[in-house]
Amino acid sequence: QVQLVESGGGSVQAGGSLRVSCAASGRTISRNCMGWFRQTAGEERERVAAVYSDGSTSYADSVRGRFTLSIDNAKNTVYLQMNSLKPEDTAMYYCAASFAPSSWQCERKRQRAEFAYWGQGTQVTISS
């Protein structure tokens, strides 16, 4: 079992920055695909970014160049740095984990159902 706890959400104006963190406990995140999803009311949960334990990352087109995902294996923690935020980035952000034998397979995990473990979510609100 893996327990995930997100932190760092909040409210900022458009153009600002936020960093959200996801701390994992219960077992090492080595050989796990760590993903960040976001969801707004009435919409499907979409994958924003993912990182493998070797540091390989992948991003949704909507955030590429603005968001940076990093992993600290020693702390079992992943960080999502969000810059140049837009009102459309407003959502509940969720951290998720799934075993993956390679970064290639991590990159291809795009669906909610492919991730076994979830955090409780943290709200990010961007005002115009």
Side-chain angles (χ1 to χ4, degrees):
Q1 282 282 54
V2 177
Q3 292 79 43
L4 304 173
V5 178
E6 302 99 334
S7 60
S11 300
V12 295
Q13 290 189 325
S17 298
L18 280 173
R19 189 177 80 159
V20 290
S21 303
C22 174
S25 61
R27 73 178 192 202
T28 178
I29 58 176
S30 175
R31 299 192 77 195
N32 268 266
C33 183
M34 303 297 295
W36 279 97
F37 285 71
R38 65 186 182 187
Q39 188 173 23
T40 56
E43 299 293 328
E44 293 292 320
R45 194 170 293 188
E46 64 164 345
R47 199 197 79 169
V48 172
V51 61
Y52 192 57
S53 50
D54 67 355
S56 302
T57 54
S58 57
Y59 299 93
D61 290 342
S62 58
V63 306
R64 188 175 292 111
R66 300 188 298 120
F67 289 14
T68 302
L69 184 54
S70 59
I71 187 168
D72 186 331
N73 285 298
K75 295 183 178 180
N76 252 20
T77 300
V78 296
Y79 305 95
L80 182 65
Q81 177 68 43
M82 303 182 289
N83 299 327
S84 302
L85 284 160
K86 305 175 181 180
E88 51 264 43
D89 294 318
T90 295
M92 184 71 81
Y93 282 70
Y94 297 90
C95 178
S98 176
F99 174 77
S102 70
S103 59
W104 181 85
Q105 293 204 5
C106 177
E107 183 178 348
R108 281 152 181 77
K109 288 181 179 288
R110 304 297 177 90
Q111 304 303 317
R112 178 178 182 173
E114 296 178 280
F115 286 79
Y117 304 102
W118 291 87
Q120 81 286 354
T122 185
Q123 179 67 36
V124 171
T125 303
I126 312 303
S127 58
S128 59

